[in-house]
Structures are given as structure tokens and as C-alpha cells.
Amino acid sequence: MDTKITEKGANQGQITAKYSLAWELRFKDIQQAIALTREACDGYDCEGIHESDVIAALAQARRNLGVLLYQVGEYPAALKALQEALVLFEKTGSQRDRILTHARLGAIQLCLSNYAQALQHTLEGFELFS
């Protein structure tokens, strides 16, 4: 993640277009969907991004990547993508997206039999909800 977003010339629309297409492909060609979503979110230095719409698009792309990786059973990679998404959603201040991301993280931790972590994410989601 050492490339600045301005160097790639990407913007919120480009990122959104890629992960939207990938989301449509998720039941037809999951590997292509994963590749497109990775393309949408990889290579960006999120510390150098200050536009909230770009941060939100990258967060959504990372969350979608986590969901797709979870769908094919790549749990460690899914956890990493979702944790990165959570950090970005915290920057955007989106309570709803943070809650949904905690729910996904909890589900993966449950699959991995990490019950304490699953409970922690569930409780954090409930805390944000209330």
C-alpha cells in the first residue's frame, strides 16, 4: 500500500464502478469478482487520502472484498480486508457501516471458533447501534 491515490489517478467513481461490477459477478464468477474488488482497493495509501467520498468508496470496496473472501472460505484474508474497512469506516464516521463490518468480523471469528473475538465484535456492533 505504498502508492498514493493521486498517483494512480483514481477517484470515488472509478473505485465504486469496479466494486459494483464485482458485486454483480459474485454469484456468477466469484474469482473474477474477487480480482475486480482487489483491483478497486489495492495499492492505495489510505493515510494520504483526505477526500471523504474516496475513503468511503475504499472502505466499501474492502468490506466487499472481505465478504467475497469469506464466501470462498479465505478467512484470514477476509478478516484483514474487513479490519482495514473498519478503520476506514471509522474515518468516515459511518455508524451503520461500522456496525455491519463488526457483524461480518464476528461471523468470520465464529467460523474460526474464536468465540471471544466473535462476541467482542458483536458487542461492539450492539454498542454502536445503541
mmCIF file of all heavy atoms in Angstrom, residues 1-5 44-51 55 58 62 84 87-88 91:
data_model
loop_
_atom_site.group_PDB
_atom_site.id
_atom_site.type_symbol
_atom_site.label_atom_id
_atom_site.label_comp_id
_atom_site.label_asym_id
_atom_site.label_seq_id
_atom_site.Cartn_x
_atom_site.Cartn_y
_atom_site.Cartn_z
ATOM 1 N N MET A 1 0.818 -1.182 0.000
ATOM 2 C CA MET A 1 0.000 0.000 0.000
ATOM 3 C C MET A 1 0.866 1.252 0.000
ATOM 4 O O MET A 1 0.655 2.150 0.783
ATOM 5 C CB MET A 1 -0.886 0.017 1.236
ATOM 6 C CG MET A 1 -2.067 -0.860 1.152
ATOM 7 S SD MET A 1 -3.336 -0.154 2.157
ATOM 8 C CE MET A 1 -4.005 -1.586 2.854
ATOM 9 N N ASP A 2 1.802 1.326 -0.867
ATOM 10 C CA ASP A 2 2.696 2.465 -0.857
ATOM 11 C C ASP A 2 2.407 3.455 -1.974
ATOM 12 O O ASP A 2 3.075 4.465 -2.092
ATOM 13 C CB ASP A 2 4.152 1.999 -0.918
ATOM 14 C CG ASP A 2 4.411 1.105 -2.122
ATOM 15 O OD1 ASP A 2 3.454 0.779 -2.845
ATOM 16 O OD2 ASP A 2 5.570 0.743 -2.330
ATOM 17 N N THR A 3 1.416 3.223 -2.783
ATOM 18 C CA THR A 3 1.078 4.120 -3.871
ATOM 19 C C THR A 3 0.011 5.090 -3.413
ATOM 20 O O THR A 3 -0.978 4.701 -2.833
ATOM 21 C CB THR A 3 0.551 3.326 -5.088
ATOM 22 O OG1 THR A 3 1.502 2.341 -5.416
ATOM 23 C CG2 THR A 3 0.322 4.231 -6.270
ATOM 24 N N LYS A 4 0.222 6.358 -3.685
ATOM 25 C CA LYS A 4 -0.763 7.370 -3.337
ATOM 26 C C LYS A 4 -1.911 7.327 -4.328
ATOM 27 O O LYS A 4 -1.718 7.055 -5.498
ATOM 28 C CB LYS A 4 -0.139 8.770 -3.359
ATOM 29 C CG LYS A 4 0.997 8.942 -2.377
ATOM 30 C CD LYS A 4 0.483 9.335 -1.048
ATOM 31 C CE LYS A 4 1.626 9.698 -0.138
ATOM 32 N NZ LYS A 4 1.598 9.014 1.085
ATOM 33 N N ILE A 5 -3.078 7.653 -3.854
ATOM 34 C CA ILE A 5 -4.243 7.611 -4.735
ATOM 35 C C ILE A 5 -4.111 8.597 -5.885
ATOM 36 O O ILE A 5 -4.551 8.330 -6.989
ATOM 37 C CB ILE A 5 -5.542 7.844 -3.944
ATOM 38 C CG1 ILE A 5 -6.730 7.491 -4.827
ATOM 39 C CG2 ILE A 5 -5.665 9.257 -3.443
ATOM 40 C CD1 ILE A 5 -7.940 7.101 -4.068
ATOM 41 N N TYR A 44 -3.509 1.631 -2.596
ATOM 42 C CA TYR A 44 -3.762 2.992 -2.148
ATOM 43 C C TYR A 44 -3.221 3.212 -0.757
ATOM 44 O O TYR A 44 -3.407 2.388 0.126
ATOM 45 C CB TYR A 44 -5.265 3.293 -2.158
ATOM 46 C CG TYR A 44 -5.876 3.190 -3.528
ATOM 47 C CD1 TYR A 44 -6.759 2.180 -3.833
ATOM 48 C CD2 TYR A 44 -5.536 4.110 -4.512
ATOM 49 C CE1 TYR A 44 -7.313 2.084 -5.095
ATOM 50 C CE2 TYR A 44 -6.071 4.015 -5.775
ATOM 51 C CZ TYR A 44 -6.968 2.998 -6.058
ATOM 52 O OH TYR A 44 -7.505 2.897 -7.309
ATOM 53 N N ASP A 45 -2.550 4.319 -0.554
ATOM 54 C CA ASP A 45 -2.075 4.714 0.752
ATOM 55 C C ASP A 45 -3.196 5.498 1.421
ATOM 56 O O ASP A 45 -3.393 6.674 1.138
ATOM 57 C CB ASP A 45 -0.827 5.575 0.618
ATOM 58 C CG ASP A 45 -0.342 6.134 1.941
ATOM 59 O OD1 ASP A 45 -0.790 5.637 2.998
ATOM 60 O OD2 ASP A 45 0.474 7.069 1.926
ATOM 61 N N CYS A 46 -3.940 4.841 2.255
ATOM 62 C CA CYS A 46 -5.121 5.457 2.860
ATOM 63 C C CYS A 46 -4.764 6.608 3.796
ATOM 64 O O CYS A 46 -5.598 7.457 4.069
ATOM 65 C CB CYS A 46 -5.943 4.405 3.596
ATOM 66 S SG CYS A 46 -6.617 3.178 2.459
ATOM 67 N N GLU A 47 -3.529 6.649 4.272
ATOM 68 C CA GLU A 47 -3.113 7.749 5.128
ATOM 69 C C GLU A 47 -3.006 9.044 4.325
ATOM 70 O O GLU A 47 -3.167 10.124 4.860
ATOM 71 C CB GLU A 47 -1.760 7.439 5.797
ATOM 72 C CG GLU A 47 -1.805 6.252 6.728
ATOM 73 C CD GLU A 47 -2.760 6.437 7.888
ATOM 74 O OE1 GLU A 47 -2.815 7.542 8.454
ATOM 75 O OE2 GLU A 47 -3.485 5.487 8.207
ATOM 76 N N GLY A 48 -2.740 8.929 3.029
ATOM 77 C CA GLY A 48 -2.586 10.108 2.187
ATOM 78 C C GLY A 48 -3.873 10.588 1.552
ATOM 79 O O GLY A 48 -3.875 11.551 0.804
ATOM 80 N N ILE A 49 -4.988 9.949 1.869
ATOM 81 C CA ILE A 49 -6.270 10.310 1.276
ATOM 82 C C ILE A 49 -7.054 11.152 2.269
ATOM 83 O O ILE A 49 -7.196 10.785 3.428
ATOM 84 C CB ILE A 49 -7.087 9.048 0.918
ATOM 85 C CG1 ILE A 49 -6.300 8.181 -0.046
ATOM 86 C CG2 ILE A 49 -8.428 9.430 0.322
ATOM 87 C CD1 ILE A 49 -6.895 6.813 -0.246
ATOM 88 N N HIS A 50 -7.578 12.263 1.777
ATOM 89 C CA HIS A 50 -8.329 13.142 2.666
ATOM 90 C C HIS A 50 -9.750 13.390 2.182
ATOM 91 O O HIS A 50 -10.544 13.976 2.897
ATOM 92 C CB HIS A 50 -7.595 14.472 2.830
ATOM 93 C CG HIS A 50 -6.204 14.284 3.364
ATOM 94 N ND1 HIS A 50 -5.946 13.865 4.646
ATOM 95 C CD2 HIS A 50 -4.996 14.408 2.766
ATOM 96 C CE1 HIS A 50 -4.641 13.757 4.830
ATOM 97 N NE2 HIS A 50 -4.044 14.077 3.705
ATOM 98 N N GLU A 51 -10.080 12.943 0.979
ATOM 99 C CA GLU A 51 -11.428 13.134 0.452
ATOM 100 C C GLU A 51 -12.351 12.068 1.053
ATOM 101 O O GLU A 51 -12.130 10.876 0.866
ATOM 102 C CB GLU A 51 -11.451 13.024 -1.082
ATOM 103 C CG GLU A 51 -10.585 14.045 -1.788
ATOM 104 C CD GLU A 51 -9.125 13.628 -1.903
ATOM 105 O OE1 GLU A 51 -8.804 12.466 -1.583
ATOM 106 O OE2 GLU A 51 -8.305 14.466 -2.279
ATOM 107 N N ILE A 55 -12.465 7.865 0.627
ATOM 108 C CA ILE A 55 -12.273 6.994 1.785
ATOM 109 C C ILE A 55 -13.466 6.060 1.934
ATOM 110 O O ILE A 55 -13.305 4.856 2.161
ATOM 111 C CB ILE A 55 -12.059 7.815 3.076
ATOM 112 C CG1 ILE A 55 -10.724 8.569 3.002
ATOM 113 C CG2 ILE A 55 -12.092 6.926 4.307
ATOM 114 C CD1 ILE A 55 -10.515 9.574 4.109
ATOM 115 N N LEU A 58 -13.329 3.354 -0.778
ATOM 116 C CA LEU A 58 -12.302 2.351 -0.471
ATOM 117 C C LEU A 58 -12.740 1.453 0.683
ATOM 118 O O LEU A 58 -12.496 0.250 0.668
ATOM 119 C CB LEU A 58 -10.970 3.019 -0.141
ATOM 120 C CG LEU A 58 -10.220 3.599 -1.323
ATOM 121 C CD1 LEU A 58 -9.027 4.429 -0.852
ATOM 122 C CD2 LEU A 58 -9.768 2.506 -2.269
ATOM 123 N N ARG A 62 -13.231 -2.553 0.389
ATOM 124 C CA ARG A 62 -12.562 -3.501 1.284
ATOM 125 C C ARG A 62 -13.569 -4.390 2.012
ATOM 126 O O ARG A 62 -13.325 -5.569 2.201
ATOM 127 C CB ARG A 62 -11.667 -2.754 2.258
ATOM 128 C CG ARG A 62 -10.389 -2.298 1.592
ATOM 129 C CD ARG A 62 -9.328 -1.927 2.600
ATOM 130 N NE ARG A 62 -8.049 -1.783 1.953
ATOM 131 C CZ ARG A 62 -7.606 -0.670 1.387
ATOM 132 N NH1 ARG A 62 -8.351 0.406 1.377
ATOM 133 N NH2 ARG A 62 -6.416 -0.627 0.824
ATOM 134 N N GLU A 84 -9.381 -3.637 7.763
ATOM 135 C CA GLU A 84 -8.989 -2.417 7.046
ATOM 136 C C GLU A 84 -10.218 -1.566 6.749
ATOM 137 O O GLU A 84 -10.175 -0.338 6.873
ATOM 138 C CB GLU A 84 -8.260 -2.768 5.754
ATOM 139 C CG GLU A 84 -6.895 -3.365 5.975
ATOM 140 C CD GLU A 84 -6.261 -3.926 4.704
ATOM 141 O OE1 GLU A 84 -6.949 -3.992 3.657
ATOM 142 O OE2 GLU A 84 -5.074 -4.288 4.765
ATOM 143 N N VAL A 87 -11.339 0.343 9.895
ATOM 144 C CA VAL A 87 -10.514 1.529 10.158
ATOM 145 C C VAL A 87 -10.953 2.691 9.261
ATOM 146 O O VAL A 87 -11.081 3.833 9.714
ATOM 147 C CB VAL A 87 -9.013 1.207 9.943
ATOM 148 C CG1 VAL A 87 -8.172 2.467 9.937
ATOM 149 C CG2 VAL A 87 -8.526 0.239 11.009
ATOM 150 N N LEU A 88 -11.215 2.391 8.003
ATOM 151 C CA LEU A 88 -11.652 3.440 7.074
ATOM 152 C C LEU A 88 -13.051 3.946 7.417
ATOM 153 O O LEU A 88 -13.314 5.146 7.339
ATOM 154 C CB LEU A 88 -11.599 2.929 5.639
ATOM 155 C CG LEU A 88 -10.197 2.657 5.100
ATOM 156 C CD1 LEU A 88 -10.267 1.994 3.738
ATOM 157 C CD2 LEU A 88 -9.386 3.938 5.036
ATOM 158 N N LYS A 91 -12.963 6.497 10.000
ATOM 159 C CA LYS A 91 -12.595 7.818 9.485
ATOM 160 C C LYS A 91 -13.800 8.535 8.884
ATOM 161 O O LYS A 91 -13.895 9.755 8.970
ATOM 162 C CB LYS A 91 -11.506 7.700 8.418
ATOM 163 C CG LYS A 91 -10.153 7.334 8.953
ATOM 164 C CD LYS A 91 -9.139 7.297 7.829
ATOM 165 C CE LYS A 91 -7.770 6.933 8.343
ATOM 166 N NZ LYS A 91 -6.767 6.959 7.279
#
